[in-house]
Amino acid sequence: MKTYESQNIRNVVLLGHAGSGKTTLAETMLFESGTQPRRGSIVEKNTRSDYHPIEKEKQKSVFTSTLHLDWRGRKINLLDTPGTSDYIGEVLEAIKVADTAMIVLNAEQGVEVGSEAMWKYTKENELPTMLVVNQLDQSQSDFQRTVDTAKERFGRGVVVIQYPYSQGEDFHAIIDVLKMVMYEFPESGGKPEKLPIPESHKSQAELLHNELVESVAENDELLMDLYIENGNLDESQMQDGLHKSLMNRDIIPLFCMSATRNMGSGRIMGFVGNVAPSPLEVKSMMTKSGEEYHVKAENDPAMYVYKTESESHVGDMNYFKVVGGQISPGLDMVNSSNNSSVRLSNLFLSQGDERVDIQQLNTGDIATAVKLKDVTVNNTLCTKGSEFEIQPVMFPDPPARTAIRLKNNGEEDKLGNALHQLQREDPSMVVEHSQELKQIILHGQGEEHLNVLKYALENRFGLDVEFYEPRIPYRETITDTYRAHYRHKKQTGGAGQFAEVDLLIEPYEEGRPVPDDLNVRGVEEHDLPWGGKLIFQNCIVGGVIDQRFMPAILKGIMEKMEDGPLSGCRVRDIRVSVYDGSMHSVDSNDAAFKTAALMAFKDGFINAKPQL
């Protein structure tokens, strides 16, 4: 495979609401560039990107697929992402290594919820962004409404580069106001014929052209001077101005097309190749220590792993971006995330599920490595002595949860290993072994995300599992006061156990007065890990209980608070005062006082009008 220079590489992430046509667009770009001889179809389940069985079953993207193509000497790496919010982890990983975002809009639906979410993420990452209005061949398509909504939601930086000559079933031509030409496509799509703009559209095209030129000029003082002097900008000046404006997110260029009918993809690829930034030009990455790291060819070899997945006959596959120097098989590196040594073996360029060997990669390129020990998502690999760590992707807290259990006993270890592997591959999920609920809880980005995890456990790992409603983590407290007494006495032949405690148990309320008959000698306030407080008061007088046994008494109370007397749920907002008791000079010890305190607290809690 050809090795591309860094300045000739473009890393583009395809974003958009589910159903906007990202996968079909990627398929069309691969075909139109000559990378593959025929276009796959989602309906026919033979696209390059949606190759996992569950994606074919759902007929939509679930995972980010990595693709690549050559367009007139430029290598364009495409990251085709899911459009459903449940798979946001896949999207954020792809955005991390992209240098340009292409948000695909459905011309029938306009700017949808998913489109706005993707815009937010590109804005947060300061990622140069372009818009593509797709599906203009559909009967209910409305280009102008989509443009108006895009300007309303994304700002005045949205500028029209193209608009349709006609739309709906008659869509067959695109008017380009940057080139000031009309592209008319044959019925089967493909290479268009360049024609003059019809008279009926000249005034509209000139108006949009002038708006575009003014938008470019106003973001560059030199270009503004040239525009004022000449009344226009030539093609070279426009290209330079668009390049700078795109990188600074001053301009969000908007294109139109029909991916299904292969009309418009070539012009978009040409714009990406000529105007979109290379990996060397984009904003620097941040390291975990808060320093800026500039992606440069002269840097020591380094790579950032943005995605991990596993196949039974291959093992772990790590998708990475070269962020410094040149990478080749046999290179010894250090995983900065865990300080382990790693030797690169086979490197591949991925075309969906197809992989081709590559012997060298330059800075900015994206590829796949296999059999890298202890390497996973968010890891940075460097050469020895130049270690640093790229700031990891921060995934949103998962809002959906379910409990999981095996239908058959004896496969607990297998389930544990499977969950560990899934969490390595997908850090947007969380596996919780809840000691409180005595359940394994899976946390995901939505119900569909959880269903995909269940599918993987059953079909990939061969486990028969059941998802069910998690128990509710109730909290226990009390609504009344009670004085509890417990005497613990045990004789086992040698030294025995003896402890006697008297506790006053009360609800905790800020500013609650202390009973007059208590002589408080010490107060400890404990913020409980599960919420609420425990106020522990030492009110012992006359030395009836030695001070050294107070920690054991507190420990006994805390132990029972973790396993509440009423329902086994955790206890909160209690004030406990130790005000009397007795001890034995020989038989009293920490274990005895811990037991006595636990039993006294249990009895007092039950009698103090407990509440769930």
Side-chain angles (χ1 to χ4, degrees):
M1 286 295 293
K2 178 181 175 182
T3 300
Y4 289 79
E5 297 298 323
S6 302
Q7 62 267 25
N8 292 326
I9 296 170
R10 304 289 182 269
N11 296 316
V12 179
V13 57
L14 299 179
L15 305 171
H17 193 88
S20 58
K22 300 180 298 296
T23 297
T24 303
L25 171 57
E27 200 70 20
T28 299
M29 292 169 78
L30 292 175
F31 172 73
E32 188 63 22
S33 66
T35 304
Q36 64 182 32
R38 63 183 296 276
R39 289 195 300 153
S41 162
I42 292 172
V43 175
E44 295 175 9
K45 303 179 181 180
N46 59 358
T47 56
R48 274 284 174 217
S49 54
D50 291 354
Y51 59 87
H52 293 87
I54 193 168
E55 294 178 306
K56 293 180 180 181
E57 182 181 308
K58 288 179 171 289
Q59 294 197 3
K60 69 176 184 178
S61 300
V62 172
F63 307 100
T64 293
S65 295
T66 306
L67 312 161
H68 63 273
L69 58 91
D70 181 293
W71 186 257
R72 298 175 182 171
R74 299 280 199 267
K75 184 189 181 189
I76 301 176
N77 290 315
L78 292 175
L79 299 163
D80 180 21
T81 66
T84 305
S85 61
D86 290 52
Y87 314 122
I88 191 62
E90 296 281 332
V91 175
L92 294 178
E93 290 170 352
I95 287 176
K96 181 77 172 181
V97 295
D99 304 316
T100 303
M102 192 182 294
I103 299 178
V104 184
L105 304 175
N106 183 327
E108 286 193 308
Q109 304 300 326
V111 177
E112 299 172 87
V113 174
S115 313
E116 292 191 71
M118 299 308 168
W119 168 259
K120 183 189 77 169
Y121 289 121
T122 64
K123 191 175 181 181
E124 288 174 356
N125 287 272
E126 300 180 37
L127 191 60
T129 302
M130 50 193 291
L131 303 176
V132 175
V133 181
N134 188 24
Q135 303 183 22
L136 282 163
D137 56 319
Q138 298 300 305
S139 60
Q140 300 299 314
S141 62
D142 191 330
F143 177 79
Q144 192 56 51
R145 182 195 64 198
T146 303
V147 171
D148 292 343
T149 310
K151 289 183 175 182
E152 178 189 323
R153 306 286 170 81
F154 305 151
R156 61 186 295 272
V158 174
V159 290
V160 173
I161 302 288
Q162 300 175 326
Y163 71 92
Y165 173 77
S166 58
Q167 52 190 321
E169 295 177 4
D170 189 39
F171 176 73
H172 69 285
I174 293 171
I175 294 175
D176 193 304
V177 301
L178 174 59
K179 299 278 190 181
M180 288 304 285
V181 67
M182 184 172 83
Y183 297 105
E184 186 173 58
F185 296 88
E187 189 174 339
S188 59
K191 187 175 181 180
E193 182 181 358
K194 292 183 182 180
L195 299 172
I197 296 173
E199 285 294 331
S200 59
H201 279 264
K202 270 193 174 178
S203 59
Q204 183 181 0
E206 287 172 359
L207 176 65
L208 291 172
H209 176 78
N210 289 335
E211 287 180 4
L212 175 60
V213 174
E214 288 174 12
S215 296
V216 171
E218 71 180 17
N219 293 306
D220 188 304
E221 288 186 15
L222 179 60
L223 292 179
M224 179 57 81
D225 291 341
L226 290 169
Y227 177 62
I228 292 171
E229 183 180 335
N230 302 320
N232 207 340
L233 298 175
D234 62 31
E235 187 173 341
S236 173
Q237 292 164 345
M238 282 294 292
Q239 184 170 309
D240 289 346
L242 279 167
H243 178 71
K244 293 174 185 174
S245 297
L246 179 65
M247 282 203 305
N248 295 332
R249 287 180 59 90
D250 294 324
I251 279 181
I252 312 299
L254 182 144
F255 293 80
C256 64
M257 70 173 309
S258 166
T260 304
R261 293 170 63 179
N262 189 17
M263 295 180 180
S265 64
R267 179 72 180 94
I268 292 171
M269 289 187 286
F271 186 87
V272 168
N274 294 327
V275 177
S278 77
L280 303 180
E281 298 175 293
V282 293
K283 177 179 169 284
S284 59
M285 304 179 87
M286 296 300 295
T287 66
K288 203 169 181 180
S289 60
E291 299 173 349
E292 287 191 355
Y293 174 82
H294 297 277
V295 175
K296 296 180 181 178
E298 58 267 29
N299 290 352
D300 291 328
M303 49 198 275
Y304 168 77
V305 177
Y306 68 92
K307 176 179 169 65
T308 298
E309 65 179 26
S310 183
E311 289 185 6
S312 56
H313 60 287
V314 177
D316 281 353
M317 297 181 295
N318 292 293
Y319 295 80
F320 65 90
K321 179 180 184 179
V322 183
V323 294
Q326 290 183 333
I327 300 292
S328 56
L331 186 64
D332 289 319
M333 307 192 82
V334 175
N335 186 342
S336 300
S337 305
N338 57 25
N339 294 318
S340 62
S341 298
V342 179
R343 170 166 287 189
L344 301 184
S345 54
N346 293 356
L347 302 178
F348 301 97
L349 294 180
S350 291
Q351 198 73 283
D353 61 343
E354 252 188 29
R355 288 174 286 278
V356 180
D357 281 289
I358 184 80
Q359 292 304 308
Q360 182 178 297
L361 291 159
N362 287 324
T363 301
D365 215 342
I366 287 174
T368 311
V370 297
K371 297 181 172 65
L372 300 183
K373 188 178 178 183
D374 299 326
V375 174
T376 189
V377 178
N378 277 330
N379 286 179
T380 306
L381 307 186
C382 313
T383 49
K384 191 172 183 180
S386 63
E387 294 96 325
F388 67 95
E389 192 173 355
I390 296 293
Q391 195 175 75
V393 174
M394 302 304 293
F395 299 97
D397 292 332
R401 62 198 287 266
T402 183
I404 177 176
R405 62 187 168 208
L406 290 162
K407 291 183 179 179
N408 304 312
N409 293 329
E411 294 185 317
E412 287 75 16
D413 287 347
K414 189 176 178 182
L415 175 62
N417 291 334
L419 292 174
H420 176 71
Q421 180 64 29
L422 289 174
Q423 195 164 23
R424 284 184 71 246
E425 297 173 16
D426 181 6
S428 72
M429 66 166 282
V430 175
V431 180
E432 176 193 358
H433 295 268
S434 175
Q435 297 300 316
E436 177 184 1
L437 302 179
K438 299 175 177 60
Q439 291 178 313
I440 299 175
I441 310 291
L442 293 190
H443 300 263
Q445 297 297 332
E447 186 177 346
E448 191 173 324
H449 187 203
L450 293 174
N451 288 336
V452 168
L453 296 174
K454 187 171 189 282
Y455 179 95
L457 290 168
E458 292 176 341
N459 294 275
R460 180 175 153 193
F461 296 98
L463 290 164
D464 197 3
V465 297
E466 179 185 2
F467 281 9
Y468 64 104
E469 196 70 26
R471 297 188 186 102
I472 297 173
Y474 288 109
R475 295 291 177 259
E476 299 180 19
T477 192
I478 55 174
T479 59
D480 202 356
T481 62
Y482 191 81
R483 292 179 184 258
H485 170 82
Y486 191 84
R487 188 181 194 204
H488 176 67
K489 185 176 182 181
K490 188 176 181 182
Q491 195 69 40
T492 55
Q497 286 192 1
F498 179 85
E500 188 172 10
V501 295
D502 289 270
L503 307 177
L504 172 63
I505 300 174
E506 308 169 273
Y508 165 71
E509 299 163 0
E510 192 73 41
R512 184 185 181 97
V514 178
D516 294 336
D517 62 334
L518 294 185
N519 183 10
V520 180
R521 299 178 58 199
V523 180
E524 296 180 24
E525 182 175 315
H526 297 273
D527 290 312
L528 302 170
W530 51 87
K533 290 181 182 291
L534 165 67
I535 307 299
F536 181 72
Q537 298 188 150
N538 178 1
C539 305
I540 295 296
V541 293
V544 292
I545 299 177
D546 199 298
Q547 180 65 31
R548 64 192 171 96
F549 293 128
M550 283 298 156
I553 293 172
L554 174 62
K555 190 173 182 181
I557 293 168
M558 289 286 284
E559 188 173 300
K560 196 57 196 169
M561 288 183 73
E562 285 199 53
D563 184 21
L566 187 62
S567 64
C569 297
R570 290 169 173 171
V571 175
R572 58 175 288 165
D573 299 328
I574 303 283
R575 185 166 75 182
V576 179
S577 303
V578 187
Y579 67 90
D580 202 358
S582 64
M583 61 182 180
H584 189 275
S585 59
V586 176
D587 292 343
S588 289
N589 53 37
D590 285 346
F593 272 100
K594 175 187 167 186
T595 301
L598 187 153
M599 297 305 292
F601 178 81
K602 178 181 177 182
D603 175 60
F605 188 93
I606 293 296
N607 287 283
K609 295 183 182 178
Q611 186 178 57
L612 197 61

